[in-house]
Structures are given as structure tokens and as C-alpha cells.
Amino acid sequence: AAAAPVPAATAGGDAAGAAGAAAAAGGGGAAAAAEVQLGGRKRAAVSVFKGQSFIDLRETYEKDGRQLPGKKGIALKMDEWDKLCAAAAAISQAHSARNTAYKLLLGGTRQVAISEFKGTCYVGVREYYQKDGELLPGSKGLSMTGEQWGKLVGGMAGLNVQLGRT
């Protein structure tokens, strides 16, 4: 069945985010097949929009006692997810070493980077943009603490099973 059109603005402007919002609200043709709670209000979920699967890394918010997808986050295409899974050990090692020079290009302007803020080291999966010849982090993306990243790595196998991969 075809997915009902959902305005992209409902969840941060990307299609899978809108699909997640539609699924959480009980509408549309999108459904979250699996979910990994990363801690805080962050989660990773399999979502389907217009017949395409995505991994949605997103912060949620509570409304009427339900957790709904918020604007902060990013929906990864399957090739981007595959690159993230394949590099999980290297990303974990870079995070442990606090290697803020580490970058992994996922595709286009999306990348994984290690950053540090107020003494805490983060794994960021983010879309970047160019300004004055410099690549800067955009608003679409999710920063995870080491603990949250560990939960995502631990949940990768389950998410891949939900995607029909082993």
C-alpha cells in the first residue's frame, strides 16, 4: 500500500522523520518496525516511508503521554546505515581515544564525527553544509554520548534483523 503524504515539516524536514511522526500519531502508511532506546529522549528506529526503509536517529518529546519524534535527528538511508555499521568499531575506538579529528563520510554532506563539549566526548551523526569554503555542522543530526553510542552499537544487529539483513 502506498504511504499517505505527510508534510515534511512535521518532524524536522526529512521524509523519514515525517514518516515517524505519522506512525507515532497513528496516521499515514509509515510504521516503525523496531526501536532502540539510547537514553534520555534519544532513540533509533526502523521507519518506512513510501516503500523505502530508513534508520531514524532522533530525539523525542512527550505529548499526551506518548513519545513522538522531534525535530532534532537524522534519517539514514540504507547505504549510510551500512557504512555506519561497518565502521562501528573504528568509531568506538576514536570516541574512546577522544580523537576529535576522526571523520567518516556517510555520503553527500553527511558524516560521523567525534566532538567534545564541556568535557564530554560525543559521537555525532550529522548533515553538514558549506559556508565560505568551510564545512560546518547543520541542524539535522544527533549527538550521542559514549553510553548512547554503545546502546546504538548494541542494537545494530536487532535493527538489521528488522530490515531483513543479517
Side-chain angles (χ1 to χ4, degrees), residues 63-92:
K63 182 176 180 183
D64 299 328
R66 296 185 336 188
Q67 290 296 316
L68 300 173
K71 287 186 175 189
K72 291 183 180 179
I74 190 167
L76 299 177
K77 299 175 201 162
M78 290 301 91
D79 61 325
E80 295 167 339
W81 173 247
D82 291 341
K83 287 178 185 176
L84 185 71
C85 290
I91 295 166
S92 295

PDB file of all heavy atoms in Angstrom, residues 63-92:
ATOM      1  N   LYS A  63       3.914  14.006  24.440  1.00  0.00           N
ATOM      2  CA  LYS A  63       2.664  14.736  24.252  1.00  0.00           C
ATOM      3  C   LYS A  63       1.519  13.769  24.529  1.00  0.00           C
ATOM      4  O   LYS A  63       1.485  12.680  23.946  1.00  0.00           O
ATOM      5  CB  LYS A  63       2.561  15.292  22.833  1.00  0.00           C
ATOM      6  CG  LYS A  63       1.293  16.100  22.607  1.00  0.00           C
ATOM      7  CD  LYS A  63       1.244  16.716  21.229  1.00  0.00           C
ATOM      8  CE  LYS A  63      -0.036  17.515  21.065  1.00  0.00           C
ATOM      9  NZ  LYS A  63      -0.147  18.052  19.714  1.00  0.00           N
ATOM     10  N   ASP A  64       0.649  14.155  25.398  1.00  0.00           N
ATOM     11  CA  ASP A  64      -0.498  13.324  25.781  1.00  0.00           C
ATOM     12  C   ASP A  64      -0.056  11.923  26.215  1.00  0.00           C
ATOM     13  O   ASP A  64      -0.674  10.923  25.861  1.00  0.00           O
ATOM     14  CB  ASP A  64      -1.505  13.223  24.629  1.00  0.00           C
ATOM     15  CG  ASP A  64      -2.074  14.575  24.230  1.00  0.00           C
ATOM     16  OD1 ASP A  64      -2.215  15.439  25.119  1.00  0.00           O
ATOM     17  OD2 ASP A  64      -2.361  14.766  23.029  1.00  0.00           O
ATOM     18  N   GLY A  65       1.065  11.857  26.939  1.00  0.00           N
ATOM     19  CA  GLY A  65       1.551  10.584  27.462  1.00  0.00           C
ATOM     20  C   GLY A  65       2.240   9.691  26.446  1.00  0.00           C
ATOM     21  O   GLY A  65       2.572   8.546  26.746  1.00  0.00           O
ATOM     22  N   ARG A  66       2.468  10.186  25.224  1.00  0.00           N
ATOM     23  CA  ARG A  66       3.135   9.391  24.186  1.00  0.00           C
ATOM     24  C   ARG A  66       4.431  10.058  23.768  1.00  0.00           C
ATOM     25  O   ARG A  66       4.537  11.281  23.789  1.00  0.00           O
ATOM     26  CB  ARG A  66       2.232   9.249  22.951  1.00  0.00           C
ATOM     27  CG  ARG A  66       0.971   8.482  23.253  1.00  0.00           C
ATOM     28  CD  ARG A  66       0.123   8.223  22.051  1.00  0.00           C
ATOM     29  NE  ARG A  66       0.353   9.177  20.969  1.00  0.00           N
ATOM     30  CZ  ARG A  66      -0.370   9.245  19.874  1.00  0.00           C
ATOM     31  NH1 ARG A  66      -1.381   8.442  19.717  1.00  0.00           N
ATOM     32  NH2 ARG A  66      -0.104  10.116  18.940  1.00  0.00           N
ATOM     33  N   GLN A  67       5.416   9.242  23.395  1.00  0.00           N
ATOM     34  CA  GLN A  67       6.680   9.752  22.875  1.00  0.00           C
ATOM     35  C   GLN A  67       6.543   9.948  21.367  1.00  0.00           C
ATOM     36  O   GLN A  67       6.232   9.006  20.641  1.00  0.00           O
ATOM     37  CB  GLN A  67       7.824   8.762  23.161  1.00  0.00           C
ATOM     38  CG  GLN A  67       8.182   8.685  24.628  1.00  0.00           C
ATOM     39  CD  GLN A  67       8.730  10.002  25.161  1.00  0.00           C
ATOM     40  OE1 GLN A  67       9.541  10.657  24.530  1.00  0.00           O
ATOM     41  NE2 GLN A  67       8.269  10.395  26.338  1.00  0.00           N
ATOM     42  N   LEU A  68       6.787  11.166  20.908  1.00  0.00           N
ATOM     43  CA  LEU A  68       6.685  11.496  19.483  1.00  0.00           C
ATOM     44  C   LEU A  68       8.041  11.974  18.976  1.00  0.00           C
ATOM     45  O   LEU A  68       8.817  12.574  19.723  1.00  0.00           O
ATOM     46  CB  LEU A  68       5.648  12.597  19.278  1.00  0.00           C
ATOM     47  CG  LEU A  68       4.227  12.268  19.737  1.00  0.00           C
ATOM     48  CD1 LEU A  68       3.340  13.498  19.635  1.00  0.00           C
ATOM     49  CD2 LEU A  68       3.657  11.130  18.917  1.00  0.00           C
ATOM     50  N   PRO A  69       8.350  11.718  17.696  1.00  0.00           N
ATOM     51  CA  PRO A  69       9.625  12.173  17.141  1.00  0.00           C
ATOM     52  C   PRO A  69       9.692  13.694  17.062  1.00  0.00           C
ATOM     53  O   PRO A  69       8.731  14.337  16.658  1.00  0.00           O
ATOM     54  CB  PRO A  69       9.679  11.544  15.750  1.00  0.00           C
ATOM     55  CG  PRO A  69       8.305  11.090  15.453  1.00  0.00           C
ATOM     56  CD  PRO A  69       7.550  10.982  16.736  1.00  0.00           C
ATOM     57  N   GLY A  70      10.822  14.253  17.487  1.00  0.00           N
ATOM     58  CA  GLY A  70      11.019  15.697  17.449  1.00  0.00           C
ATOM     59  C   GLY A  70      11.798  16.133  16.221  1.00  0.00           C
ATOM     60  O   GLY A  70      12.079  15.338  15.324  1.00  0.00           O
ATOM     61  N   LYS A  71      12.171  17.403  16.198  1.00  0.00           N
ATOM     62  CA  LYS A  71      12.897  17.960  15.061  1.00  0.00           C
ATOM     63  C   LYS A  71      14.357  17.542  15.028  1.00  0.00           C
ATOM     64  O   LYS A  71      14.940  17.422  13.964  1.00  0.00           O
ATOM     65  CB  LYS A  71      12.817  19.483  15.083  1.00  0.00           C
ATOM     66  CG  LYS A  71      11.464  20.020  14.714  1.00  0.00           C
ATOM     67  CD  LYS A  71      11.492  21.529  14.611  1.00  0.00           C
ATOM     68  CE  LYS A  71      10.157  22.052  14.124  1.00  0.00           C
ATOM     69  NZ  LYS A  71      10.210  23.464  13.810  1.00  0.00           N
ATOM     70  N   LYS A  72      14.972  17.342  16.212  1.00  0.00           N
ATOM     71  CA  LYS A  72      16.392  17.015  16.253  1.00  0.00           C
ATOM     72  C   LYS A  72      16.603  15.558  15.884  1.00  0.00           C
ATOM     73  O   LYS A  72      16.103  14.667  16.560  1.00  0.00           O
ATOM     74  CB  LYS A  72      16.972  17.280  17.638  1.00  0.00           C
ATOM     75  CG  LYS A  72      17.040  18.741  17.995  1.00  0.00           C
ATOM     76  CD  LYS A  72      17.695  18.932  19.339  1.00  0.00           C
ATOM     77  CE  LYS A  72      17.766  20.407  19.689  1.00  0.00           C
ATOM     78  NZ  LYS A  72      18.369  20.600  21.006  1.00  0.00           N
ATOM     79  N   GLY A  73      17.338  15.326  14.817  1.00  0.00           N
ATOM     80  CA  GLY A  73      17.630  13.967  14.396  1.00  0.00           C
ATOM     81  C   GLY A  73      17.959  13.897  12.931  1.00  0.00           C
ATOM     82  O   GLY A  73      18.032  14.912  12.231  1.00  0.00           O
ATOM     83  N   ILE A  74      18.165  12.664  12.467  1.00  0.00           N
ATOM     84  CA  ILE A  74      18.526  12.436  11.077  1.00  0.00           C
ATOM     85  C   ILE A  74      18.028  11.059  10.661  1.00  0.00           C
ATOM     86  O   ILE A  74      18.045  10.123  11.457  1.00  0.00           O
ATOM     87  CB  ILE A  74      20.059  12.579  10.883  1.00  0.00           C
ATOM     88  CG1 ILE A  74      20.433  12.596   9.406  1.00  0.00           C
ATOM     89  CG2 ILE A  74      20.813  11.504  11.655  1.00  0.00           C
ATOM     90  CD1 ILE A  74      21.881  13.053   9.155  1.00  0.00           C
ATOM     91  N   ALA A  75      17.556  10.935   9.443  1.00  0.00           N
ATOM     92  CA  ALA A  75      17.110   9.669   8.887  1.00  0.00           C
ATOM     93  C   ALA A  75      18.182   9.174   7.914  1.00  0.00           C
ATOM     94  O   ALA A  75      18.481   9.852   6.932  1.00  0.00           O
ATOM     95  CB  ALA A  75      15.778   9.842   8.169  1.00  0.00           C
ATOM     96  N   LEU A  76      18.761   8.024   8.228  1.00  0.00           N
ATOM     97  CA  LEU A  76      19.833   7.478   7.393  1.00  0.00           C
ATOM     98  C   LEU A  76      19.278   6.539   6.336  1.00  0.00           C
ATOM     99  O   LEU A  76      18.469   5.659   6.639  1.00  0.00           O
ATOM    100  CB  LEU A  76      20.844   6.715   8.258  1.00  0.00           C
ATOM    101  CG  LEU A  76      21.564   7.528   9.336  1.00  0.00           C
ATOM    102  CD1 LEU A  76      22.478   6.618  10.143  1.00  0.00           C
ATOM    103  CD2 LEU A  76      22.348   8.671   8.721  1.00  0.00           C
ATOM    104  N   LYS A  77      19.736   6.723   5.106  1.00  0.00           N
ATOM    105  CA  LYS A  77      19.410   5.792   4.028  1.00  0.00           C
ATOM    106  C   LYS A  77      20.178   4.505   4.280  1.00  0.00           C
ATOM    107  O   LYS A  77      21.124   4.472   5.061  1.00  0.00           O
ATOM    108  CB  LYS A  77      19.812   6.392   2.681  1.00  0.00           C
ATOM    109  CG  LYS A  77      19.098   7.673   2.357  1.00  0.00           C
ATOM    110  CD  LYS A  77      19.652   8.257   1.074  1.00  0.00           C
ATOM    111  CE  LYS A  77      19.329   9.731   1.018  1.00  0.00           C
ATOM    112  NZ  LYS A  77      20.157  10.435   0.053  1.00  0.00           N
ATOM    113  N   MET A  78      19.786   3.435   3.617  1.00  0.00           N
ATOM    114  CA  MET A  78      20.388   2.131   3.883  1.00  0.00           C
ATOM    115  C   MET A  78      21.892   2.095   3.604  1.00  0.00           C
ATOM    116  O   MET A  78      22.643   1.499   4.372  1.00  0.00           O
ATOM    117  CB  MET A  78      19.681   1.027   3.084  1.00  0.00           C
ATOM    118  CG  MET A  78      18.268   0.743   3.588  1.00  0.00           C
ATOM    119  SD  MET A  78      18.186   0.241   5.331  1.00  0.00           S
ATOM    120  CE  MET A  78      17.960   1.769   6.208  1.00  0.00           C
ATOM    121  N   ASP A  79      22.367   2.780   2.561  1.00  0.00           N
ATOM    122  CA  ASP A  79      23.818   2.773   2.294  1.00  0.00           C
ATOM    123  C   ASP A  79      24.566   3.534   3.391  1.00  0.00           C
ATOM    124  O   ASP A  79      25.670   3.147   3.791  1.00  0.00           O
ATOM    125  CB  ASP A  79      24.143   3.321   0.905  1.00  0.00           C
ATOM    126  CG  ASP A  79      23.708   4.769   0.694  1.00  0.00           C
ATOM    127  OD1 ASP A  79      22.654   5.162   1.246  1.00  0.00           O
ATOM    128  OD2 ASP A  79      24.410   5.504  -0.010  1.00  0.00           O
ATOM    129  N   GLU A  80      23.963   4.588   3.933  1.00  0.00           N
ATOM    130  CA  GLU A  80      24.585   5.338   5.026  1.00  0.00           C
ATOM    131  C   GLU A  80      24.611   4.491   6.305  1.00  0.00           C
ATOM    132  O   GLU A  80      25.606   4.472   7.036  1.00  0.00           O
ATOM    133  CB  GLU A  80      23.832   6.649   5.267  1.00  0.00           C
ATOM    134  CG  GLU A  80      23.913   7.602   4.085  1.00  0.00           C
ATOM    135  CD  GLU A  80      22.920   8.752   4.168  1.00  0.00           C
ATOM    136  OE1 GLU A  80      21.906   8.666   4.890  1.00  0.00           O
ATOM    137  OE2 GLU A  80      23.165   9.754   3.472  1.00  0.00           O
ATOM    138  N   TRP A  81      23.516   3.786   6.566  1.00  0.00           N
ATOM    139  CA  TRP A  81      23.438   2.901   7.724  1.00  0.00           C
ATOM    140  C   TRP A  81      24.489   1.788   7.623  1.00  0.00           C
ATOM    141  O   TRP A  81      25.158   1.469   8.606  1.00  0.00           O
ATOM    142  CB  TRP A  81      22.033   2.325   7.854  1.00  0.00           C
ATOM    143  CG  TRP A  81      21.876   1.280   8.907  1.00  0.00           C
ATOM    144  CD1 TRP A  81      21.613  -0.039   8.721  1.00  0.00           C
ATOM    145  CD2 TRP A  81      21.966   1.460  10.327  1.00  0.00           C
ATOM    146  NE1 TRP A  81      21.529  -0.688   9.929  1.00  0.00           N
ATOM    147  CE2 TRP A  81      21.742   0.205  10.934  1.00  0.00           C
ATOM    148  CE3 TRP A  81      22.205   2.553  11.142  1.00  0.00           C
ATOM    149  CZ2 TRP A  81      21.763   0.024  12.316  1.00  0.00           C
ATOM    150  CZ3 TRP A  81      22.228   2.368  12.517  1.00  0.00           C
ATOM    151  CH2 TRP A  81      22.009   1.121  13.089  1.00  0.00           C
ATOM    152  N   ASP A  82      24.639   1.217   6.418  1.00  0.00           N
ATOM    153  CA  ASP A  82      25.634   0.156   6.212  1.00  0.00           C
ATOM    154  C   ASP A  82      27.045   0.654   6.530  1.00  0.00           C
ATOM    155  O   ASP A  82      27.833  -0.041   7.171  1.00  0.00           O
ATOM    156  CB  ASP A  82      25.578  -0.378   4.780  1.00  0.00           C
ATOM    157  CG  ASP A  82      24.295  -1.155   4.498  1.00  0.00           C
ATOM    158  OD1 ASP A  82      23.622  -1.600   5.462  1.00  0.00           O
ATOM    159  OD2 ASP A  82      23.962  -1.313   3.310  1.00  0.00           O
ATOM    160  N   LYS A  83      27.363   1.873   6.091  1.00  0.00           N
ATOM    161  CA  LYS A  83      28.688   2.448   6.370  1.00  0.00           C
ATOM    162  C   LYS A  83      28.870   2.668   7.874  1.00  0.00           C
ATOM    163  O   LYS A  83      29.941   2.414   8.416  1.00  0.00           O
ATOM    164  CB  LYS A  83      28.876   3.772   5.623  1.00  0.00           C
ATOM    165  CG  LYS A  83      29.072   3.602   4.137  1.00  0.00           C
ATOM    166  CD  LYS A  83      29.206   4.937   3.437  1.00  0.00           C
ATOM    167  CE  LYS A  83      29.280   4.766   1.941  1.00  0.00           C
ATOM    168  NZ  LYS A  83      29.326   6.059   1.241  1.00  0.00           N
ATOM    169  N   LEU A  84      27.819   3.141   8.539  1.00  0.00           N
ATOM    170  CA  LEU A  84      27.884   3.370   9.982  1.00  0.00           C
ATOM    171  C   LEU A  84      28.123   2.046  10.720  1.00  0.00           C
ATOM    172  O   LEU A  84      28.976   1.961  11.603  1.00  0.00           O
ATOM    173  CB  LEU A  84      26.595   4.033  10.469  1.00  0.00           C
ATOM    174  CG  LEU A  84      26.563   4.455  11.935  1.00  0.00           C
ATOM    175  CD1 LEU A  84      27.487   5.643  12.171  1.00  0.00           C
ATOM    176  CD2 LEU A  84      25.152   4.799  12.355  1.00  0.00           C
ATOM    177  N   CYS A  85      27.379   1.005  10.342  1.00  0.00           N
ATOM    178  CA  CYS A  85      27.542  -0.316  10.980  1.00  0.00           C
ATOM    179  C   CYS A  85      28.942  -0.873  10.738  1.00  0.00           C
ATOM    180  O   CYS A  85      29.574  -1.392  11.668  1.00  0.00           O
ATOM    181  CB  CYS A  85      26.502  -1.298  10.445  1.00  0.00           C
ATOM    182  SG  CYS A  85      24.817  -0.953  10.981  1.00  0.00           S
ATOM    183  N   ALA A  86      29.432  -0.769   9.506  1.00  0.00           N
ATOM    184  CA  ALA A  86      30.749  -1.310   9.165  1.00  0.00           C
ATOM    185  C   ALA A  86      31.864  -0.602   9.933  1.00  0.00           C
ATOM    186  O   ALA A  86      32.897  -1.212  10.244  1.00  0.00           O
ATOM    187  CB  ALA A  86      30.986  -1.200   7.661  1.00  0.00           C
ATOM    188  N   ALA A  87      31.670   0.656  10.257  1.00  0.00           N
ATOM    189  CA  ALA A  87      32.708   1.442  10.930  1.00  0.00           C
ATOM    190  C   ALA A  87      32.480   1.555  12.434  1.00  0.00           C
ATOM    191  O   ALA A  87      33.211   2.292  13.107  1.00  0.00           O
ATOM    192  CB  ALA A  87      32.766   2.836  10.307  1.00  0.00           C
ATOM    193  N   ALA A  88      31.516   0.833  12.988  1.00  0.00           N
ATOM    194  CA  ALA A  88      31.161   0.981  14.401  1.00  0.00           C
ATOM    195  C   ALA A  88      32.363   0.799  15.326  1.00  0.00           C
ATOM    196  O   ALA A  88      32.552   1.583  16.265  1.00  0.00           O
ATOM    197  CB  ALA A  88      30.039   0.018  14.781  1.00  0.00           C
ATOM    198  N   ALA A  89      33.185  -0.211  15.073  1.00  0.00           N
ATOM    199  CA  ALA A  89      34.342  -0.459  15.945  1.00  0.00           C
ATOM    200  C   ALA A  89      35.344   0.698  15.861  1.00  0.00           C
ATOM    201  O   ALA A  89      35.871   1.146  16.887  1.00  0.00           O
ATOM    202  CB  ALA A  89      35.016  -1.776  15.579  1.00  0.00           C
ATOM    203  N   ALA A  90      35.592   1.192  14.650  1.00  0.00           N
ATOM    204  CA  ALA A  90      36.530   2.310  14.473  1.00  0.00           C
ATOM    205  C   ALA A  90      35.993   3.583  15.127  1.00  0.00           C
ATOM    206  O   ALA A  90      36.750   4.344  15.740  1.00  0.00           O
ATOM    207  CB  ALA A  90      36.792   2.548  12.989  1.00  0.00           C
ATOM    208  N   ILE A  91      34.686   3.802  15.034  1.00  0.00           N
ATOM    209  CA  ILE A  91      34.073   4.974  15.651  1.00  0.00           C
ATOM    210  C   ILE A  91      34.195   4.871  17.179  1.00  0.00           C
ATOM    211  O   ILE A  91      34.554   5.833  17.857  1.00  0.00           O
ATOM    212  CB  ILE A  91      32.596   5.122  15.222  1.00  0.00           C
ATOM    213  CG1 ILE A  91      32.508   5.398  13.714  1.00  0.00           C
ATOM    214  CG2 ILE A  91      31.903   6.232  16.017  1.00  0.00           C
ATOM    215  CD1 ILE A  91      31.118   5.229  13.132  1.00  0.00           C
ATOM    216  N   SER A  92      33.918   3.677  17.710  1.00  0.00           N
ATOM    217  CA  SER A  92      34.029   3.457  19.160  1.00  0.00           C
ATOM    218  C   SER A  92      35.450   3.695  19.641  1.00  0.00           C
ATOM    219  O   SER A  92      35.673   4.316  20.690  1.00  0.00           O
ATOM    220  CB  SER A  92      33.580   2.040  19.521  1.00  0.00           C
ATOM    221  OG  SER A  92      32.214   1.877  19.244  1.00  0.00           O
TER     222      SER A  92
END
